[in-house]
């Protein structure tokens, strides 16, 4: 994994911001060394007809995708598109099994990291290298879809995997400006709790969403930007001081989560936040659309806990390029699947998706009109780290590391939780 500086001028222009290039951490995506079956242009020249399966995990985006599908089928009346949707946790664990035969997921999506790598190793990605639709994307934001020197997939969403805030609630209690140090953050949480507010809604019982908090918790504690990759490689351990410090900070957060947080589902945490009873929702910007559907009427903001002393932070927040679009190499409808991806890559269509789902996208030239996207837009220029939890290519290892934090909030001593996680790391890597 390598970090490099890139320009997001197009995104900034689209977001209505000014300014030039900004330095952000990015990394080349993982991928298997074996060439995928069906790589190359062959197979994409098939007819745009038949029933196309589009596999993804964003049930909350179904209605917006229905609109996008309607505009696609108006252009291509001989094709229909069926959305095959699974819950995110299920999709993470079962998607490859479902799509590798080609019967489901003619076009599909993948999470950055372990799932992308596993699908690459199975040879299910078609090679999109040289296809014209690739030029529609910001080059620096699609590296997570590259592997083995090929562009296998196209990360579609640009999200911020850090807590969402209720700025009105915070301002009401005197916290319009949030601190940039750990002690200050704990002071805010303590003040909120003393006034009857639940400081943090956290879905600790939902690994896919509850695990996002670890991104912010390690971004300034870890000795290297690719610390989790090094844990998986065996050159760092979760029993090292930097991760023990992180677990001890989770222990400090325990009083500020809602009751029963370690068993809480994502929907319950979002409901608590949407009703204005919690100041922070510890998941990510992708929750904006769902909390609006749950009735949230207040403005939304973003904030990543700074776990170090004032002036010592290397990063202000977290971003991720994910929802990686691909064409199934084993599909008999690859021509239609490529046409679907081309449609999604049109800036006007990507704008419908972005503004309808409250998520920035990696497509160039998109005009953002959604109020929440405008509120989050300043984070496009801040110093953010590519979400480290997706550095893990082994889901058993990632689960063990994230579960250590859940156990600590549940009462396990940090040292004990770290040792248990390290045993899994040593067994699985």
């Amino acid at each position: 994994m390598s970090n490099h500086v890139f320009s997001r001028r197009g995104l900034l222009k689209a977001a209505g911001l000014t300014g030039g290039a900004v330095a952000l951490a990015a990394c080349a995506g993982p991928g298997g060394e074996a060439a995928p079956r069906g790589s190359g242009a062959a197979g994409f020249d098939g007819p745009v007809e038949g029933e196309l399966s589009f596999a993804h995990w964003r049930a909350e985006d179904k209605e917006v995708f229905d609109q996008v599908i309607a505009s696609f089928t108006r252009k291509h009346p001989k094709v229909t598109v069926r959305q095959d949707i699974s819950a995110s946790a299920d999709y993470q664990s079962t998607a490859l099994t479902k799509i590798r035969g080609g019967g489901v997921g003619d076009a599909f999506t993948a999470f950055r990291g372990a799932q992308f790598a596993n699908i690459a190793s199975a040879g299910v990605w078609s090679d999109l290298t040289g296809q014209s639709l690739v030029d529609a994307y910001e080059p620096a934001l699609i590296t997570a879809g590259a592997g083995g020197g090929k562009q296998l997939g196209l990360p579609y969403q640009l999200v911020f995997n850090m807590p969402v805030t209720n700025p009105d609630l915070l301002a009401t209690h005197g916290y319009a400006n949030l601190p940039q140090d750990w002690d200050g953050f704990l002071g805010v949480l303590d003040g909120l709790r003393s006034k009857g507010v639940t400081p943090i809604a956290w879905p600790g019982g939902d690994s896919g969403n509850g695990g996002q908090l670890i991104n912010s918790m390690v971004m300034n504690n870890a000795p290297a930007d690719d610390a989790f990759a090094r844990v998986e490689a065996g050159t760092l351990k979760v029993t090292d001081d930097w991760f023990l410090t992180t677990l001890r900070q989770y222990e400090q957060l325990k009083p500020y989560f809602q009751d029963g947080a370690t068993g809480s589902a994502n929907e319950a945490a979002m409901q608590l936040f949407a009703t204005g009873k919690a100041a922070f929702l510890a998941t990510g910007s992708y929750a904006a659309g769902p909390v609006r559907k749950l009735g949230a009427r207040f403005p939304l903001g973003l904030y990543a806990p700074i776990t170090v002393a004032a002036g010592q932070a290397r990063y202000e927040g977290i971003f991720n390029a994910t929802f990686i679009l691909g064409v199934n190499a084993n599909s008999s409808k690859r021509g239609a699947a490529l046409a679907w991806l081309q449609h999604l890559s049109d800036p006007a269509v990507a704008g419908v998706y972005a503004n309808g789902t409250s998520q920035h996208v990696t497509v160039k030239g998109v005009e953002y009109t959604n109020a929440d996207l405008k509120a989050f837009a300043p984070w496009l220029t801040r110093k953010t780290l590519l979400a480290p939890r997706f550095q893990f290519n082994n889901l058993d290892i990632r689960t063990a590391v994230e579960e250590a934090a859940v156990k600590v909030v549940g009462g396990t001593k940090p040292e004990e939780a770290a040792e248990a996680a390290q045993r899994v790391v040593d067994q699985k890597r």
Side-chain angles (χ1 to χ4, degrees), residues 272-292:
L272 182 64
F273 179 78
T275 54
K277 297 177 181 176
F280 300 90
L281 173 63
T283 56
S285 63
Y286 58 86
V291 299
R292 290 294 181 212

Side-chain angles (χ1 to χ4, degrees), residues 252-309:
Q252 289 179 287
L253 291 180
K254 180 179 177 180
Y256 306 117
F257 294 126
Q258 79 277 22
D259 291 342
T262 57
S264 178
N266 190 42
E267 290 74 14
M270 288 197 297
Q271 185 70 52
L272 182 64
F273 179 78
T275 54
K277 297 177 181 176
F280 300 90
L281 173 63
T283 56
S285 63
Y286 58 86
V291 299
R292 290 294 181 212
K293 289 182 179 179
L294 289 171
R297 296 289 179 264
F298 46 84
L300 299 178
L302 294 170
Y303 173 78
I306 302 299
T307 57
V308 294

Side-chain angles (χ1 to χ4, degrees), residues 110-121:
F111 290 92
R112 176 184 144 240
Q115 189 173 54
F116 173 80
N118 291 335
I119 293 173
S121 295

Side-chain angles (χ1 to χ4, degrees), residues 57-62 87-89 92 111 156-165 201-204 206-216 265-267 269-270 273 281-294 300-303 318-323 353-361 370 372-373 376 387 389-390 398 402:
W57 67 86
R58 289 282 299 179
E60 55 269 60
D61 296 351
K62 183 180 182 304
S88 60
Q92 180 88 58
F111 290 92
Y156 198 55
Q157 300 173 350
L158 175 62
V159 297
F160 299 97
N161 308 53
M162 50 199 271
V164 182
T165 68
W202 181 53
D206 180 322
S207 59
N209 292 287
Q212 301 292 359
L213 181 58
I214 207 166
N215 290 309
S216 303
N266 190 42
E267 290 74 14
M270 288 197 297
F273 179 78
L281 173 63
T283 56
S285 63
Y286 58 86
V291 299
R292 290 294 181 212
K293 289 182 179 179
L294 289 171
L300 299 178
L302 294 170
Y303 173 78
I318 297 291
F319 80 98
N320 196 28
T322 187
F323 203 70
Y353 175 77
N355 293 307
T357 63
S358 302
Q359 295 178 109
H360 290 99
V361 292
N370 179 291
D372 292 326
L373 293 183
F376 297 157
R389 73 184 293 249
F390 298 102
R398 189 179 88 180
E402 293 178 355

Side-chain angles (χ1 to χ4, degrees), residues 3 24-26 112 159 161 215 218-220 222 224-226 314-320 382-388 391:
N3 293 331
L24 291 172
R112 176 184 144 240
V159 297
N161 308 53
N215 290 309
V218 302
M219 70 179 182
N220 288 307
D225 291 349
D226 61 348
R314 291 178 291 126
Y315 293 104
E316 297 178 82
I318 297 291
F319 80 98
N320 196 28
R382 295 187 179 178
K383 193 170 185 182
T384 50
L385 176 68
L386 189 62
Q391 293 169 9

Side-chain angles (χ1 to χ4, degrees), residues 298-381:
F298 46 84
L300 299 178
L302 294 170
Y303 173 78
I306 302 299
T307 57
V308 294
Q312 295 183 5
R314 291 178 291 126
Y315 293 104
E316 297 178 82
I318 297 291
F319 80 98
N320 196 28
T322 187
F323 203 70
I324 303 174
L325 300 169
V327 174
N328 192 327
N330 298 321
S331 168
S332 61
K333 303 164 188 167
R334 294 175 61 211
L338 182 66
W340 168 238
L341 263 59
Q342 288 171 329
H343 188 68
L344 291 170
S345 305
D346 181 290
V349 174
V352 170
Y353 175 77
N355 293 307
T357 63
S358 302
Q359 295 178 109
H360 290 99
V361 292
T362 58
V363 176
K364 300 174 186 172
V366 172
E367 180 180 359
Y368 295 109
T369 58
N370 179 291
D372 292 326
L373 293 183
K374 289 183 175 180
F376 297 157
W379 284 92
L380 294 168
T381 64

